Amino acid sequence: VDSLFSRIALVGIMLENKESTPKLNAILHEYADYIIGRMGIPHARDGMSVISIVMDAPESVTSALAGKVGMLPFVSVTTMYSKTPRS
């Protein structure tokens, strides 16, 4: 059932060390077909970046992306889903 319905999701990512940037970009590239928007805000003073990803995907796909991102060192992630599934 999950694969029949997609949801709009907002994935918030905090990158606290640029060391994880190449791996993060590789993961996001894997899910490029589901990503409908991306915004990154660098915080030069602290060497941190805040990234927001908007996805249109089944929850299992969004969850898989968030899980992979969350396992990277120096990276925190959280996800928010729309209340209404889309067919």
Side-chain angles (χ1 to χ4, degrees), residues 32-52:
D33 290 344
Y34 298 101
I35 295 174
I36 58 176
R38 173 181 177 174
M39 179 178 63
I41 302 170
H43 191 308
R45 185 185 76 201
D46 294 331
M48 177 184 277
S49 293
V50 179
I51 303 163
S52 59

Side-chain angles (χ1 to χ4, degrees), residues 7-56:
R7 285 198 148 156
I8 300 297
L10 174 62
V11 181
I13 302 167
M14 287 195 142
L15 180 67
E16 298 184 40
N17 185 315
K18 292 182 181 179
E19 173 184 311
S20 294
T21 301
K23 290 180 182 177
L24 173 61
N25 284 331
I27 293 168
L28 295 178
H29 183 73
E30 278 182 59
Y31 293 88
D33 290 344
Y34 298 101
I35 295 174
I36 58 176
R38 173 181 177 174
M39 179 178 63
I41 302 170
H43 191 308
R45 185 185 76 201
D46 294 331
M48 177 184 277
S49 293
V50 179
I51 303 163
S52 59
I53 306 293
V54 180
M55 298 180 70
D56 185 352

